[in-house]
Amino acid sequence: MENQTQNAFRALADPTRRDIVQMLALQDMTIAQLTDRFNMTRAAVKKHLTVLSDGGLIAVEARGRERINRLEPKGMAPVLDWLSYFDQFWDERLNSLKEAVERKSK
Amino acid sequence: MENQTQNAFRALADPTRRDIVQMLALQDMTIAQLTDRFNMTRAAVKKHLTVLSDGGLIAVEARGRERINRLEPKGMAPVLDWLSYFDQFWDERLNSLKEAVERKSK
DNA sequence: TTAATGTGAAACCAAATGGTATCTCTTTAG
DNA sequence: CTAAAGAGATACCATTTGGTTTCACATTAA
């Protein structure tokens, strides 16, 4: 999807999508399971998942008729990269943070 | 503007606004100075600055007929807070980062 | 095999978003 | 004083966004 920084920031701009990210941080979930936790239709949740996927923040694994959505930690890297570029005064600490993300995602 | 986390994430979701943040990280600027660097009208830049202000990421200081826009580092705190809540595995490093922000903004 | 379950996709809608042009107001320069 | 410079505000516009309803398709259960 080309511009990962933009897609990642855009994915995080919506509160529902940030909630989804937090839920998926606790456990992998199907669309139906996520929909149970929101006051909106499955189609709406699906759209949010597509945006999150474009942002590289989640990955989908097919299991029979189910699709397991799981968090993709390395998708956060462009966001952290941008934060680090934007300002030098917290940079060593942010570099450590980026290393942690890289370790986790391999 | 109530929900700082949402306002900050929303402010960062637009590429022009992220560019503005980067420019203001280098030096304080007026709207006219910022407008010189973009291919859009002053009114459009002004709208972006309003969104950034709502997100707590910039502050405006009146100087005569000019308005000096400057970066407000502590506005990034809700973003970093959210990132740290969302996932534990990089948490000590993120906490260090948050402390750095707090030091810088006082 | 048939029915139920899980998902995807398309058409549609209201509201938000990012931009413009235009007018006004305040402050500074001549 | 008058004109120019810097900025704010409003009305307007096209596109995007976040949601819905509806239909189709694949997989599993009875």
Side-chain angles (χ1 to χ4, degrees), chain A residues 10 14 16-17 39-41 43-44 47-48 64-65:
Chain A
R10 160 161 140 67
D14 182 89
T16 299
R17 287 194 291 268
N39 190 24
M40 65 183 73
T41 63
K47 284 193 182 183
H48 285 305
R65 67 183 158 186

Side-chain angles (χ1 to χ4, degrees), chain B residues 40-104:
Chain B
M40 65 183 71
T41 64
R42 184 175 51 78
V45 173
K46 164 65 174 170
K47 282 195 184 181
H48 285 305
L49 289 175
T50 299
V51 175
L52 286 168
S53 177
D54 289 348
L57 297 177
I58 66 169
V60 187
E61 177 194 354
R63 262 181 79 119
R65 66 182 160 186
E66 296 186 338
R67 301 290 188 283
I68 310 297
N69 298 277
R70 68 164 206 278
L71 208 58
E72 196 74 78
K74 66 170 175 287
M76 207 63 83
V79 173
L80 301 174
D81 282 345
W82 185 86
L83 288 171
S84 68
Y85 174 81
F86 130 77
D87 212 340
Q88 286 97 339
F89 48 72
W90 52 32
D91 58 352
E92 307 102 359
R93 292 174 180 80
L94 209 81
N95 282 333
S96 305
L97 175 56
K98 286 195 295 182
E99 287 165 17
V101 175
E102 286 158 14
R103 272 201 307 280
K104 184 70 183 184

Side-chain angles (χ1 to χ4, degrees), chain B residues 7-41:
Chain B
N7 289 340
F9 270 108
R10 159 161 141 67
L12 293 176
D14 181 88
T16 298
R17 288 194 290 268
R18 290 198 303 279
D19 286 346
I20 291 175
V21 168
Q22 290 192 330
M23 292 177 188
L24 293 182
L26 300 179
Q27 55 172 327
D28 300 348
M29 297 175 77
T30 65
I31 291 193
Q33 289 174 317
L34 284 165
T35 303
D36 284 343
R37 291 169 165 72
F38 290 100
N39 191 23
M40 65 183 71
T41 64

Side-chain angles (χ1 to χ4, degrees), chain A residues 7 9 18 20 25 46 55 62 65 69-70 84 97 102:
Chain A
N7 288 339
F9 270 107
R18 290 198 303 278
I20 291 176
K46 165 64 176 169
R65 67 183 158 186
N69 299 276
R70 70 164 204 279
S84 69
L97 175 56
E102 285 157 15

Side-chain angles (χ1 to χ4, degrees), chain A residues 71-86:
Chain A
L71 208 59
E72 196 74 78
K74 66 169 175 287
M76 208 61 84
V79 173
L80 302 174
D81 282 345
W82 186 87
L83 288 171
S84 69
Y85 175 82
F86 130 78

